[in-house]
Amino acid sequence: MLFQKIWVFLKRDFLTASSYKFAFFWDAAGIIGVMLTFFFISELFQNTQAPLLEPYGGNYFSFVIIGVAFSTYLGSALGSFGGQIGMEQGIGTMEALLMTPTKISTLFLAGSVWNILFTSIRVAFYLLVGIFFFHMEVKGVNFLALTTTLVLSLIPFISLGIISASFILVFKRGEPISFLFHGASKLLAGAFFPVAVLPLWFKKLSMFIPLTYSLKALRGVLLTQSTWQDIGPDLFILLLFSLCLFPLSVASFKYGLKVAKRQASLVHY
Amino acid sequence: MSCSIEASNLTKIFKPSKNIFSLRSPTAKTIAAINQVNLTVNKGEIFAVLGPNGAGKTTLIKILCSLIIPTSGTAFINGYDVVKNEHKIKSLVGLVIGEERSFYWRLTGRENLEFFGVLHNLPLRQVRKRIETVMELLKVEDPDRRFQEYSTGNKQKLALGRCLLTNADVIFMDEPTKSLDPGVASRLRQFIKEILVQKENKTVFLATHSIQEAEELADRIAIMDKGLIKTCVSVSELTDGRDSLLDMFKQCTRT
């Protein structure tokens, strides 16, 4: 039954997204625009020594595209759940969904599949365009290590997304999680530059951000053929983030739902 | 006769939200949306709650469907507590919302029903068969057109169709004929009475502000105003010729 539920959600989201055909075009154009920007920045520094990039293979373009591409997972997970709730409240389908005997956790899981799939396609598009058109250097990838890193990164990202959705349920707009984690993560976790560039107290803050460990492990797997031993400590910390954040997110969502039902504000937006 | 819906001292109070950052003094008052409501609805009965706008009808329905938590009091559907057994309640009840925004406008009628049918734990193959039956029964026009292109009558039929897919025992309807033309409204009422109740023995709980609709459909009618149930009469009492429903409504809702 779970697979059929995931299937109908996928079908709903695909049909809705594909009915806005022009949006697909501009999304792809946006990705190419970002890549061109970083390509030319990287060209600017091509012949200069950047010792802080050495642990990542030394090529800034490859470094930054991985940072930009994979941090979209965080943005997508953070926006996905809150966005889904906001959308259902806005278009008026929230009560109809909650009137079904499907568990909230299933609604969330099934409802997020399209977003994760679509983000994966965007990430693959980034990498493929980077490799084939901008000479991005990706070396002997261990796909099992890559998948494990992605899964262990997605759990804390999704948990933060569910906590953000709890705020949307109660306050409708202006949730703080996206602001704190999305913007700050890109700055502190090293999406655009190595964390080593940051001053010490910024570096300390970056240790509390899951994206820091995700990007470190992903760059290791994709750019420098890191072994399981190399990425093991990062995966362990991501696992700890998952174990702490996921139960917290479920509890916060249950509480948010209870408050919204008490306030009779499930359909307000 | 067994009891389908039972509410005892059901109360919902809305307090103004305390915004500590607000510079203005609070103007909103505490409102009792429903106040000490007691009612029982028997299995296979059509029970109408009649009341003006803001009487508390929708709040009452949402509490009985586990969408709002009451401030105090208890309510049971087929013996299950609406607060404690929320999951069970959702497999027992169906809700027909007069709100046309409860569907995905960029999907077709059929795709919408397929989506909600599967979320009601019906296998996809079974949902597809049922959709055919329901579309035929309700005479939904153009099931493969986008919902946004439907007429108001067709949208309302689809709302009823969604509810019929699930075989719910107890059906709640909030203004089911709102904004329908008289012909479609009359056929829908006939369908509710003859098929849903007389043939399939479902319990129907209806909220309306139309006196004609309440009289035409219901076995018993409760008149509600400002969160209180002012009176509850059976249609047979009305036809005995004491007061007309309109007179009673005027008396009960006089400010």
Side-chain angles (χ1 to χ4, degrees):
Chain A
M1 204 65 229
L2 177 66
F3 289 109
Q4 293 202 346
K5 285 180 182 176
I6 291 174
W7 168 249
V8 290
F9 266 98
L10 262 177
K11 189 175 170 187
R12 177 200 72 171
D13 294 336
F14 171 74
L15 289 170
T16 307
S18 61
S19 72
Y20 298 100
K21 290 181 181 66
F22 217 39
F24 274 116
F25 169 77
W26 285 114
D27 199 37
I31 289 175
I32 290 170
V34 168
M35 296 189 84
L36 278 170
T37 308
F38 285 112
F39 178 73
F40 291 123
I41 292 174
S42 134
E43 286 293 292
L44 190 66
F45 300 114
Q46 203 185 19
N47 296 321
T48 36
Q49 283 283 323
L52 292 176
L53 279 176
E54 288 307 319
Y56 306 99
N59 180 297
Y60 178 68
F61 183 73
S62 306
F63 173 90
V64 78
I65 288 306
I66 290 173
V68 172
F70 286 95
S71 60
T72 59
Y73 271 118
L74 174 66
S76 165
L78 276 176
S80 164
F81 300 100
Q84 199 186 332
I85 295 212
M87 181 199 83
E88 305 289 356
Q89 284 173 329
I91 64 175
T93 45
M94 188 70 176
E95 281 189 339
L97 275 181
L98 292 176
M99 274 306 294
T100 67
T102 297
K103 285 184 180 168
I104 300 271
S105 51
T106 311
L107 290 178
F108 262 141
L109 174 77
S112 65
V113 171
W114 164 256
N115 229 312
I116 291 170
L117 211 69
F118 191 64
T119 307
S120 302
I121 294 170
R122 293 181 86 227
V123 170
F125 186 68
Y126 264 113
L127 297 182
L128 290 174
V129 173
I131 291 166
F132 290 108
F133 296 98
F134 294 94
H135 315 295
M136 187 179 162
E137 291 164 23
V138 173
K139 291 170 190 162
V141 180
N142 176 347
F143 282 98
L144 187 62
L146 180 69
T147 313
T148 311
T149 312
L150 270 182
V151 171
L152 283 176
S153 303
L154 276 175
I155 300 170
F157 293 174
I158 286 171
S159 307
L160 289 170
I162 296 174
I163 296 172
S164 144
S166 319
F167 279 95
I168 300 275
L169 258 183
V170 179
F171 300 106
K172 317 304 168 195
R173 283 188 191 187
E175 56 81 30
I177 302 296
S178 289
F179 169 76
L180 287 175
F181 277 88
H182 194 207
S185 286
K186 277 189 173 174
L187 174 74
L188 297 172
F192 306 111
F193 41 77
V195 177
V197 173
L198 296 169
L200 186 66
W201 61 282
F202 266 25
K203 271 186 211 157
K204 284 191 176 166
L205 275 179
S206 76
M207 289 165 67
F208 297 97
I209 295 174
L211 187 65
T212 308
Y213 304 95
S214 306
L215 290 182
K216 195 167 162 240
L218 284 165
R219 283 179 177 134
V221 172
L222 289 168
L223 300 177
T224 57
Q225 292 171 293
S226 293
T227 61
W228 285 101
Q229 260 183 336
D230 298 329
I231 61 169
D234 298 315
L235 296 187
F236 179 71
I237 295 172
L238 285 172
L239 180 69
L240 285 183
F241 269 119
S242 305
L243 292 175
C244 295
L245 288 174
F246 191 69
L248 182 71
S249 70
V250 173
S252 76
F253 190 78
K254 280 186 178 168
Y255 180 72
L257 191 63
K258 207 171 180 180
V259 172
K261 281 187 172 187
R262 279 213 189 105
Q263 294 174 338
S265 66
L266 272 178
V267 286
H268 297 177
Y269 59 96
Chain B
M1 194 177 274
S2 64
C3 177
S4 240
I5 306 168
E6 198 177 359
S8 163
N9 297 322
L10 209 55
T11 301
K12 180 68 196 177
I13 292 168
F14 290 115
K15 289 180 183 165
S17 60
K18 290 173 192 160
N19 182 357
I20 55 168
F21 300 110
S22 176
L23 296 174
R24 291 180 179 168
S25 56
T27 48
K29 290 186 232 161
T30 298
I31 297 166
I34 58 166
N35 196 354
Q36 300 285 316
V37 166
N38 293 292
L39 59 88
T40 53
V41 180
N42 297 317
K43 192 166 171 51
E45 186 178 26
I46 304 182
F47 186 90
V49 179
L50 180 67
N53 293 331
K57 308 180 295 286
T58 301
T59 305
L60 178 58
I61 283 189
K62 287 185 179 176
I63 289 176
L64 295 173
C65 289
S66 294
L67 288 171
I68 294 179
I69 300 173
T71 308
S72 62
T74 52
F76 296 90
I77 307 284
N78 287 2
Y80 292 98
D81 190 313
V82 297
V83 177
K84 291 176 187 157
N85 307 107
E86 190 189 324
H87 197 67
K88 184 75 190 167
I89 295 297
K90 284 172 184 172
S91 53
L92 284 175
V93 307
L95 172 63
V96 181
I97 315 169
E99 176 58 75
E100 58 182 32
R101 283 168 66 248
S102 70
F103 283 97
Y104 297 101
W105 281 44
R106 297 186 83 86
L107 304 189
T108 66
R110 191 188 301 277
E111 285 159 356
N112 265 294
L113 290 190
E114 202 176 282
F115 176 80
F116 285 107
V118 171
L119 293 191
H120 273 98
N121 294 335
L122 297 168
L124 195 53
R125 203 174 283 176
Q126 197 181 337
V127 172
R128 285 180 179 150
K129 272 187 194 163
R130 283 202 193 186
I131 289 174
E132 289 307 319
T133 318
V134 165
M135 295 281 193
E136 182 67 37
L137 199 67
L138 294 172
K139 299 195 168 38
V140 176
E141 296 147 25
D142 299 322
D144 294 310
R145 275 176 79 166
R146 278 192 184 162
F147 185 79
Q148 63 190 5
E149 293 161 11
Y150 276 17
S151 66
T152 311
N154 225 22
K155 284 174 181 162
Q156 199 62 27
K157 282 180 193 171
L158 209 70
L160 187 58
R162 174 168 59 191
C163 185
L164 295 183
L165 280 180
T166 64
N167 247 338
D169 268 359
V170 183
I171 297 177
F172 291 91
M173 297 183 175
D174 194 2
E175 313 280 4
T177 58
K178 187 174 80 175
S179 48
L180 292 185
D181 69 62
V184 178
S186 169
R187 281 198 296 279
L188 201 61
R189 286 183 202 130
Q190 194 182 357
F191 176 84
I192 293 167
K193 199 159 192 165
E194 290 173 7
I195 308 289
L196 286 187
V197 178
Q198 288 168 2
K199 195 174 164 199
E200 298 188 1
N201 199 33
K202 292 186 189 297
T203 308
V204 174
F205 188 103
L206 176 85
T208 181
H209 55 228
S210 158
I211 290 171
Q212 185 207 347
E213 181 164 271
E215 259 180 333
E216 203 178 304
L217 265 178
D219 300 310
R220 280 191 303 143
I221 300 163
I223 298 177
M224 199 171 179
D225 189 34
K226 297 190 178 99
L228 294 163
I229 290 200
K230 297 286 183 80
T231 187
C232 186
V233 286
S234 68
V235 171
S236 56
E237 282 175 67
L238 284 171
T239 46
D240 282 350
R242 287 187 307 169
D243 284 330
S244 75
L245 186 57
L246 180 61
D247 293 334
M248 285 175 86
F249 184 79
K250 280 180 180 167
Q251 271 174 14
C252 291
T253 57
R254 196 179 295 153
T255 48

